[in-house]
């Protein structure tokens, strides 16, 4: 599996490269944001380790641009350690967050944990949540709520599956808009259309749309998926 390390400190790259290669990963590196974006596109890595303090463009901006076209897992490295900084990193689309200084062994463990989660999700043909209250068949592209098939629009299905595959991750309205707008052209007011999609989606999958269980509002930030994944998933 390929891992792209993005950091402007050569020593950090060398240390992480040594530890990760020992675990059998193929390592590539970049010491600035522009090079990172090029390699993220050309290499299609399985995971990106991304420092936030880069010499040209910020790691947050690199993360945002990568997220426009890819769901590749991102592990952020940063000297910023406040709670707000960690929250912002997750909101930007990071899957995990490690503060500097860090233990290389901890980074390896976190990388392995992220990749295990991704591998498990990729193998699943269906996702089931809250003891079968919500089931998403990824092959048939069907959704069942309380064991009854429901009709979703293509945009509603895209929103639901993207969020369900990344439970707990906070998506801004722009993040979600980018998931459904294939052409990537946005106009004023388009972000608010996400609220309408979310409202309609809640009516279809929630027992009580006023007290949602699956599509949760994160005030001032956006939305996240709050369903609890069942241990064994079936599309039946």
């Amino acid at each position: 599996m390929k891992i792209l390390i993005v950091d402007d400190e050569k020593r950090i790259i060398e240390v992480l490269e040594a530890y990760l290669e020992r675990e059998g990963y193929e390592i590539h590196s970049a010491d600035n944001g522009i090079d990172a974006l090029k390699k993220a596109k050309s290499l299609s890595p399985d995971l990106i380790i991304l420092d936030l303090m880069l010499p040209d463009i910020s790691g947050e901006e690199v993360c945002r641009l990568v997220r426009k076209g890819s769901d590749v897992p991102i592990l952020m490295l940063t000297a910023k350690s406040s709670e707000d900084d960690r929250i912002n990193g997750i909101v930007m689309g990071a899957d995990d967050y490690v503060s500097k200084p860090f233990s290389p062994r901890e980074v390896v463990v976190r990388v392995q944990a992220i990749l295990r989660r991704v591998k498990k999700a990729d193998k699943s043909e269906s996702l089931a949540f809250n003891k079968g209250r919500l089931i998403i068949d990824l092959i048939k592209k069907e959704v069942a709520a309380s064991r009854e098939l429901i009709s979703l629009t293509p945009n509603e299905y895209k929103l639901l599956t993207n969020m369900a595959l990344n439970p707990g991750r906070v998506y801004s309205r722009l993040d979600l808009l980018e998931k459904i707008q294939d052409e990537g052209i946005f106009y004023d007011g388009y972000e608010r259309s996400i609220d309408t999609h979310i409202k309609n989606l809640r009516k279809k999958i929630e027992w009580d749309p006023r007290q949602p269980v699956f599509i949760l509002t994160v005030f001032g930030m956006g939305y996240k998926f709050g369903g609890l994944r069942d241990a064994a998933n079936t599309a039946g």
Side-chain angles (χ1 to χ4, degrees):
M1 302 187 81
K2 290 181 288 187
I3 295 177
L4 174 61
I5 303 173
V6 185
D7 200 301
D8 62 343
E9 296 185 48
K10 184 178 180 181
R11 179 58 182 164
I12 287 180
I13 290 178
E14 290 175 346
V15 170
L16 290 179
E17 183 175 22
Y19 273 79
L20 290 166
E21 283 186 341
R22 194 180 305 162
E23 299 297 322
Y25 298 109
E26 176 185 331
I27 305 301
H28 300 266
S29 64
D31 61 7
N32 62 77
I34 298 298
D35 192 30
L37 291 170
K38 291 178 180 178
K39 289 184 176 179
K41 185 174 182 179
S42 63
L43 295 171
S44 297
D46 297 287
L47 182 141
I48 297 175
I49 298 176
L50 175 63
D51 182 32
L52 294 188
M53 306 293 285
L54 298 174
D56 50 358
I57 58 178
S58 70
E60 289 95 336
E61 180 67 5
V62 172
C63 182
R64 188 186 72 80
L65 292 172
V66 168
R67 277 286 171 261
K68 290 183 71 173
S70 172
D71 284 321
V72 59
I74 296 176
L75 172 62
M76 284 188 170
L77 302 178
T78 182
K80 300 177 180 179
S81 59
S82 73
E83 182 179 1
D84 285 344
D85 289 323
R86 293 195 298 272
I87 290 173
N88 287 338
I90 300 301
V91 170
M92 280 286 178
D95 294 83
D96 205 348
Y97 194 107
V98 177
S99 298
K100 293 181 178 180
F102 56 81
S103 160
R105 291 177 58 194
E106 179 188 0
V107 173
V108 171
V109 169
R110 287 178 182 260
V111 165
Q112 292 171 333
I114 292 171
L115 291 176
R116 278 197 302 270
R117 291 199 300 268
V118 172
K119 186 176 182 180
K120 183 178 179 181
D122 288 344
K123 284 185 175 180
S124 299
E125 293 186 353
S126 67
L127 307 173
F129 300 93
N130 295 54
K131 298 180 180 180
R133 275 181 56 185
L134 178 67
I135 299 176
I136 305 171
D137 190 317
L138 300 172
I139 304 301
K140 297 180 181 178
K141 295 189 176 181
E142 293 178 344
V143 176
S146 300
R147 301 291 177 178
E148 293 186 6
L149 287 178
I150 59 174
S151 178
L152 298 182
T153 67
N155 283 340
E156 290 167 356
Y157 179 80
K158 288 180 185 178
L159 291 176
L160 178 60
T161 52
N162 274 284
M163 296 177 75
L165 285 167
N166 299 280
R169 174 183 162 187
V170 179
Y171 289 85
S172 68
R173 291 179 177 85
L174 183 57
D175 290 334
L176 294 174
L177 187 60
E178 289 170 346
K179 297 297 183 185
I180 64 176
Q181 292 289 114
D182 295 332
E183 69 274 17
I185 300 174
F186 312 127
Y187 300 96
D188 290 343
Y190 269 29
E191 286 184 50
R192 286 295 171 181
S193 69
I194 291 298
D195 295 341
T196 300
H197 289 307
I198 294 294
K199 181 180 179 180
N200 292 335
L201 190 54
R202 282 173 171 164
K203 288 180 180 179
K204 295 178 180 181
I205 68 172
E206 303 280 3
W207 278 353
D208 182 356
R210 293 169 297 179
Q211 295 182 316
V213 172
F214 298 113
I215 308 297
L216 307 180
T217 298
V218 182
F219 293 101
M221 296 183 182
Y223 300 99
K224 70 177 182 179
F225 188 81
L228 300 177
R229 182 87 176 265
D230 294 349
N233 294 325
T234 61

